[in-house]
Amino acid sequence: DIQMTQSPSSLSASVGDRVTITCRASRSISNYLSWYQQKPGRAPKLLIYAASTLESGAPSRFSGSGSGTDFTLTINSLQPEDFATYYCQQSYNALTFGGGTKVEVK
Amino acid sequence: EVQLVQSGAEVKEPGESLKISCKGFGYSFTNYWISWVRQMPGKGLEWMGRIDPSDSYTNYSPSFQGHVTISADKSISTAYLQWSSLKASDTAMYYCARAGNSGSYNYWGQGALVTVSS
């Protein structure tokens, strides 16, 4: 199994802040890494796939980077609707989700 | 418009069996894998397994292998997740999702809440 470790598990931020979330794989997954946003009571929504490709319709303030074992999701200029939980997911070998990062209001 | 529509909430007793469904609309059902994802109350996302609807080939997470069965009926564009004997620890929201690019999942069902309680 490939384990995915996200950090931090939670963070507090203000509107307009730049937020960075990291995800580390237990072994190389090339660029088979996706990022999702989930709001309470809603299904997850795909933001980024192939580590850095923005999903159609996702705001351009979201960006992803990384390859191999270390990946980053960046939110530039955090907006009120961005307070949510974010998950990474590898698809190199079956699928595994990271534990999630909750972005809360500071 | 692509949609995945899941069956409704269920309340069951321990030991009972259950089969929940996920029907695909607006695309060729046999062209995309369907995964099932569990979310226990207040917890994160857990991948359970997936099915290729074209031939019903399945992959399971080791954590769920033997505990659930994933199946599909391509004639009605529907995937299923079933349990033969539910436990209280199966209480969770269950999502189906359709595979997209590079193993990502770009379409999700609305979720089905399963509550197991005596």
Side-chain angles (χ1 to χ4, degrees):
Chain A
D1 277 24
I2 297 176
Q3 310 303 318
M4 304 300 293
T5 304
Q6 270 184 252
S7 60
S9 56
S10 66
L11 64 90
S12 299
S14 301
V15 172
D17 284 354
R18 184 178 192 226
V19 169
T20 300
I21 298 167
T22 64
C23 184
R24 174 165 288 176
S26 58
R27 61 180 173 97
S28 177
I29 58 170
S30 184
N31 69 337
Y32 288 87
L33 193 283
S34 303
W35 289 98
Y36 299 84
Q37 175 193 68
Q38 188 182 31
K39 295 181 179 179
R42 304 295 297 273
K45 177 183 174 183
L46 177 66
L47 297 172
I48 302 280
Y49 64 91
S52 60
T53 303
L54 190 67
E55 171 69 0
S56 176
S60 59
R61 61 183 178 273
F62 291 94
S63 63
S65 64
S67 67
T69 60
D70 293 311
F71 301 87
T72 300
L73 173 70
T74 301
I75 310 172
N76 281 301
S77 189
L78 193 71
Q79 296 301 298
E81 60 268 30
D82 299 337
F83 292 101
T85 301
Y86 295 85
Y87 295 92
C88 62
Q89 171 237 310
Q90 69 81 21
S91 54
Y92 182 82
N93 183 347
L95 282 88
T96 320
F97 287 95
T101 297
K102 186 173 185 179
V103 177
E104 300 176 297
V105 177
K106 191 171 187 178
Chain B
E1 180 194 4
V2 174
Q3 277 190 289
L4 295 176
V5 178
Q6 296 186 233
S7 48
E10 301 273 1
V11 179
K12 293 288 190 179
E13 294 190 356
E16 291 190 307
S17 62
L18 177 64
K19 191 174 189 178
I20 62 175
S21 66
C22 169
K23 185 173 176 64
F25 293 90
Y27 73 99
S28 179
F29 188 70
T30 55
N31 284 359
Y32 299 88
W33 289 74
I34 293 283
S35 273
W36 287 94
V37 175
R38 183 176 79 174
Q39 189 165 39
M40 299 177 76
K43 302 299 183 182
L45 304 172
E46 300 174 272
W47 179 70
M48 302 176 72
R50 61 187 173 184
I51 187 164
D52 178 348
S54 68
D55 60 5
S56 289
Y57 176 79
T58 53
N59 280 149
Y60 291 92
S61 162
S63 299
F64 293 93
Q65 178 88 47
H67 297 287
V68 297
T69 301
I70 296 171
S71 60
D73 184 340
K74 61 185 178 183
S75 70
I76 55 171
S77 301
T78 301
Y80 301 97
L81 177 67
Q82 70 180 90
W83 295 259
S84 58
S85 181
L86 286 160
K87 304 175 184 176
S89 57
D90 293 318
T91 295
M93 182 71 80
Y94 293 88
Y95 293 100
C96 63
R98 194 203 83 169
N101 295 304
S102 298
S104 64
Y105 283 78
N106 54 351
Y107 291 98
W108 292 68
Q110 80 276 21
L113 180 62
V114 174
T115 303
V116 184
S117 175
S118 54

